[in-house]
């Protein structure tokens, strides 16, 4: 799986280059899941560290099983059956796609919050049809602050694979000194399935 508009690795069209080389301003990264605005988002993402900076450039990960489990009881209940419209804010709703906000993992059978960067979240609708887009900033902040992130400090040659269905990730560019070039690959996943209330 490959995201349109990104630079492919020469001779490896299924991988793309993620780099800070040649940029006029430092890259920005916020917590997100990869390519959530398609019908079958990636189940797994991977990075291969080709070139690592002398300082900084870690990748941070947030557990979205824990994010859902730690919600207040009323939100926990209200979000079951809710759906989120994924797509950039400047894309018409007809070109965006709805996914469950609470996703059942097909392997573990456990529920996880399924959000991405707020800039790619258009609308939130509860199971009863009420529009609660106003909840998105609260949910997003909870998903990235209810625990300390796992931090991977890169060495050249490292390969890290994560489950995109229950994890948010972000690159930490705050103190990067030097070139940072990983290659990224993604594995196409299944259509996200809505989680159900236990019992």
């Amino acid at each position: 799986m490959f995201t349109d508009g990104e630079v492919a690795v020469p001779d490896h069209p299924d991988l793309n280059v993620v780099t800070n080389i040649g940029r006029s301003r430092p890259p920005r990264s916020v917590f997100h899941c990869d390519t959530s605005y398609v019908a079958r988002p990636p189940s797994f993402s991977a990075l291969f560290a080709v070139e690592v900076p002398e300082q900084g450039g870690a990748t941070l990960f947030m557990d979205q099983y824990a994010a859902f489990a730690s919600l207040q009881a009323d939100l926990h209940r209200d979000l079951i059956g809710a759906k989120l419209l994924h797509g950039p804010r400047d894309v018409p709703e007809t070109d965006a796609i709805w996914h469950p906000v609470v996703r059942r993992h097909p392997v573990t059978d456990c529920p996880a919050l399924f959000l991405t960067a707020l800039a790619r979240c258009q609308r939130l609708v509860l199971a009863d049809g009420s529009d609660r887009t106003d909840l998105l900033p609260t949910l997003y902040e909870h998903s990235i602050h209810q625990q300390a992130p796992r931090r991977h400090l890169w060495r050249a040659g490292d390969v890290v694979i994560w489950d995109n269905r229950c994890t948010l990730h972000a690159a930490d560019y705050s103190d990067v000194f030097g070139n940072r070039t990983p290659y990224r690959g993604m594995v196409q996943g299944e259509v996200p399935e809505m989680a159900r209330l236990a019992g």
Side-chain angles (χ1 to χ4, degrees), residues 5 16 36 51 55 64 66 100 109 111 120 128 132 138 142 185 196:
N16 69 281
S36 64
E51 188 174 14
Q55 175 182 300
Q64 297 306 287
D109 201 38
R120 295 189 182 273
D128 65 5
R132 292 306 311 272
T138 298
H142 173 80
R196 305 294 177 188

Side-chain angles (χ1 to χ4, degrees), residues 108-124:
T108 66
D109 201 38
C110 294
L113 275 183
F114 190 57
L115 303 171
T116 190
L118 283 178
R120 295 189 182 273
C121 296
Q122 291 193 14
R123 290 179 61 207
L124 171 63

